[in-house]
Amino acid sequence: MKDTFKHKGLRQQLVNIIEAKGIKDEKVLKAIGKIPRHLFMDSGFLDHAYQDKAFPIAADQTISQPYTVAFQTELLEVKPGDKILEIGTGSGYQTAVLCELGAKVFSIERQLELFKKTSKFLPKLGYRAKKLIFGDGYKGLKEEAPFDSIIVTAGAPFVPKPLLSQLKIGGRLVIPVGDDVQVMTLFIRKGPKEFEQQEYGEFRFVPLLEDKN
Ligand code: SAH
């Protein structure tokens, strides 16, 4: 678990790349510049960790592209102390970004192998999510609701109703919606039944799956 000068240099280049692609939030850029992404990847991909690309992790899943992580995080407008629900813990990289921003993070993963691996790994790096949960993100996390924001890091064929209903008034849901290609969609809860919806272009994610394993 080494983080060398070389890694830090490559990481700064990555920050410059995603800034050039349009990410403006200084706190998000700082978090990307701080988190050792190479440690979240399988050893075979170490050399690629600071390219702005998604890469395979265990269980046929991927660690999202850094630009995508930054884009979704920027849309969340995280404030320190925010209670955030993440669907799709995966490698834990996005979880770490949210922790860096001072959020209280609850994160759900449906692949047992990844859930176990990431539950052990994140605390070793000093990232303590409030709770990592093995379960189905389509249901959200009723017992901890409402949330300041919810982020879905897999492609959702439709918007799960429980996620909308578990937002605080004023809360934000960032979710890529679609089958083969997803449209990044932001919902802001304006009232008990009113939601404002904004769309932010196309992205590609692994699918949000409904049945366990
Ligand atoms: N945030 C992750 C991205 C991982 S890819 C990272 O930074 O590495 C998306 C993840 O969503 C995968 O790990 C996949 O297993 C998980 N996933 C898919 N469907 C799910 C569901 N219904 N509930 C919870 N997690 C799910």
Side-chain angles (χ1 to χ4, degrees), residues 75-87:
L75 284 180
L76 290 176
E77 296 186 355
V78 181
K79 292 180 293 303
D82 274 3
K83 191 172 181 184
I84 300 187
L85 176 64
E86 176 189 23
I87 312 296

Side-chain angles (χ1 to χ4, degrees), residues 13-23 29 32 52 66-67 70:
Q13 285 175 22
L14 173 64
V15 169
N16 297 343
I17 289 169
I18 63 175
E19 198 175 6
K21 287 184 180 174
I23 301 299
L29 292 168
I32 303 274
D52 188 25
Y67 172 73

Side-chain angles (χ1 to χ4, degrees), residues 7 36 86 100 131 135 137 140 156 158 176 193 200:
H7 292 126
E86 176 189 23
E100 269 302 332
K131 204 166 183 195
F158 58 90
K193 293 201 170 146
Y200 291 89

Side-chain angles (χ1 to χ4, degrees), residues 39-166:
L39 299 178
F40 291 74
M41 319 230 322
D42 286 345
S43 50
F45 293 97
L46 277 185
D47 291 344
H48 305 289
Y50 295 106
Q51 293 176 24
D52 188 25
K53 287 185 184 162
F55 284 103
I57 51 174
D60 283 336
Q61 302 304 319
T62 54
I63 177 168
S64 300
Q65 183 181 343
Y67 172 73
T68 306
V69 171
F71 193 90
Q72 288 194 279
T73 309
E74 197 168 60
L75 284 180
L76 290 176
E77 296 186 355
V78 181
K79 292 180 293 303
D82 274 3
K83 191 172 181 184
I84 300 187
L85 176 64
E86 176 189 23
I87 312 296
T89 316
S91 69
Y93 182 75
Q94 172 75 65
T95 317
V97 170
L98 297 172
C99 290
E100 269 302 332
L101 295 173
K104 297 189 192 108
V105 189
F106 296 79
S107 184
I108 308 179
E109 172 58 54
R110 68 177 278 286
Q111 290 278 0
L112 187 58
E113 182 190 351
L114 276 173
F115 164 74
K116 285 187 183 162
K117 193 173 169 193
T118 302
S119 301
K120 271 198 200 146
F121 170 73
L122 276 179
K124 281 191 198 155
L125 281 192
Y127 292 115
R128 298 190 191 281
K130 275 276 162 195
K131 204 166 183 195
L132 299 178
I133 300 114
F134 172 56
D136 177 13
Y138 273 92
K139 301 190 180 76
L141 194 63
K142 209 173 169 191
E143 61 271 30
E144 292 291 345
F147 295 95
D148 292 293
S149 54
I150 301 179
I151 174 172
V152 180
T153 70
F158 58 90
V159 182
K161 288 250 162 63
L163 301 187
L164 288 170
S165 67
Q166 291 174 22

